[in-house]
């Protein structure tokens, strides 16, 4: 009996740790170790063509990066595309979720439909949108021509290319965020809406006074996740160029930080310099994620 009681205590106390051990093992092997190793590589002059030979250079890669005009150009492009894609995306997702939360015909099919862009191959999506934004035969320019606007070379200009890439991101991720908002909306007690109706509150007032305040944690979550994804964007600008060259256009007009890192690591084979860019990107994402969280929480607290 004593042995059985001891085993039961060990099972009760040790089982939770055993359940989470696989996660920490996988995270350590595929997450933490690469992160630490990349940090070590960033302090070396490491060329992939030299057979793994490297030389310790300290902060030289970081100093070079801060003086590199191409790095600052890629940072500006990344922030521009992030703003153009994230803000409309989350607002549209909130609106779509609000519509899907009402009693509609074929509601289940509509909810499944909004997720289709997210599960579609990003390669296929970007190729289709590249054709839509084509200068000579693109449908977007054809539609603009109907209202008297001349053809736009979407890839040639900075702002037009950013807008086109942001459109791809918006189309792909809006439905995903809408379903997250919808799940949170359905957890809001219906009694709150019934009480608001008795008090004479309109649908718009109910949305801003009941729905949005109860969605604050979810809005913070989607904002942080969208920020992390937006600052790491690489596939859309790479495929939008129509070539395998990671320069982001002829004048680097839509080269993001991730593309710049890829160029330095796998085209110029400067592994150390690319690692320094990777760590800098990691720190930038951390700063933006924390700033987003603090700002959103402060706004929520001020409204209470």
């Amino acid at each position: 009996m004593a042995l059985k009681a001891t085993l039961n205590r060990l099972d009760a106390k040790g089982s939770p740790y055993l359940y989470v051990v696989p996660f920490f093992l996988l995270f350590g092997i595929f997450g933490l170790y690469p992160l630490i190793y990349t940090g070590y590589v960033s302090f070396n002059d490491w060329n992939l063509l030299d057979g793994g030979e490297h030389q310790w250079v300290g902060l030289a890669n970081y100093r070079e990066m801060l003086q590199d005009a191409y790095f600052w150009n890629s940072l500006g492009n990344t922030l521009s595309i992030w703003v153009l894609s994230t803000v409309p995306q989350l607002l549209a997702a909130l609106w779509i979720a609000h519509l899907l939360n009402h009693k509609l015909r074929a509601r289940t099919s509509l909810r499944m439909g909004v997720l289709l862009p997210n599960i579609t191959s990003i390669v296929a999506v970007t190729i289709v949108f590249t054709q839509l934004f084509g200068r000579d035969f693109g449908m977007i320019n054809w539609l603009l021509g109907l209202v008297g606007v001349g053809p736009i070379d979407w890839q040639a200009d900075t702002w037009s290319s950013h807008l086109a890439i942001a459109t791809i991101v918006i189309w792909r991720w809006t439905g995903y965020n809408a379903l997250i908002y919808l799940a949170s909306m359905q957890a809001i007690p219906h009694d709150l809406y019934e009480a608001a109706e008795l008090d004479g509150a309109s649908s718009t007032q109910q949305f801003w006074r009941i729905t949005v305040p109860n969605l604050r944690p979810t809005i913070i979550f989607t904002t942080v996740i969208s920020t992390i994804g937006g600052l790491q964007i690489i596939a859309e600008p790479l495929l939008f160029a129509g070539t395998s060259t990671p320069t982001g256009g002829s004048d680097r007009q839509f080269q993001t930080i991730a593309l710049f890192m890829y160029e330095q690591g796998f085209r110029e084979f400067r592994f150390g310099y690319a690692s320094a860019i990777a760590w800098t990107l990691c720190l930038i994402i951390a700063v933006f994620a924390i700033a987003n969280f603090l700002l959103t929480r402060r706004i929520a607290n001020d409204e209470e």
Side-chain angles (χ1 to χ4, degrees), residues 43-222:
F43 294 107
N44 290 267
D45 182 9
W46 198 315
N47 194 304
L48 293 179
L49 298 180
D50 293 339
E53 296 182 2
H54 54 277
Q55 180 182 1
W56 182 269
V57 294
L59 296 173
N61 286 325
Y62 291 92
R63 286 194 293 267
E64 179 183 352
M65 180 190 64
L66 294 176
Q67 297 172 0
D68 193 341
Y70 289 155
F71 167 76
W72 293 108
N73 172 72
S74 66
L75 177 60
N77 292 337
T78 303
L79 295 178
S80 173
I81 295 173
W82 168 66
V83 171
L84 290 173
S85 62
T86 301
V87 176
Q89 173 194 150
L90 296 182
L91 292 176
L94 192 61
W95 177 68
I96 292 173
H98 180 61
L99 293 179
L100 292 177
N101 198 34
H102 290 78
K103 293 182 179 180
L104 303 172
R105 291 183 178 179
R107 184 168 54 178
T108 302
S109 298
L110 291 174
R111 292 174 179 177
M112 294 174 60
V114 298
L115 194 60
L116 288 178
N118 183 254
I119 63 177
T120 306
S121 168
I122 182 59
V123 176
V125 169
T126 307
I127 290 175
V128 169
F129 271 89
T130 300
Q131 297 301 316
L132 291 176
F133 284 101
R135 181 188 61 183
D136 299 320
F137 305 105
M139 182 177 292
I140 304 300
N141 277 343
W142 176 75
L143 292 173
L144 292 176
L146 296 179
V147 294
V149 179
I152 299 174
D153 191 347
W154 294 94
Q155 294 182 352
D157 186 67
T158 299
W159 287 107
S160 61
S161 61
H162 291 188
L163 183 60
I165 295 172
T167 303
I168 301 173
V169 177
I170 292 170
W171 186 86
R172 187 161 184 255
W173 290 102
T174 298
Y176 173 81
N177 288 310
L179 289 185
I180 294 177
Y181 288 146
L182 178 61
S184 296
M185 286 180 182
Q186 292 181 334
I188 300 175
H190 192 67
D191 295 344
L192 297 176
Y193 294 102
E194 292 179 349
E197 288 182 3
L198 292 175
D199 290 338
S202 64
S203 177
T204 303
Q205 290 175 328
Q206 292 178 34
F207 176 75
W208 289 109
R209 299 293 179 86
I210 299 176
T211 305
V212 173
N214 282 277
L215 289 180
R216 285 169 184 165
T218 307
I219 293 174
I220 294 174
F221 170 77
T222 54

Side-chain angles (χ1 to χ4, degrees), residues 9-24:
R9 285 197 301 270
L10 290 175
D11 179 61
K13 294 182 178 180
S15 294
Y17 296 99
L18 292 177
Y19 294 147
V20 299
V21 161
F23 164 77
F24 285 103

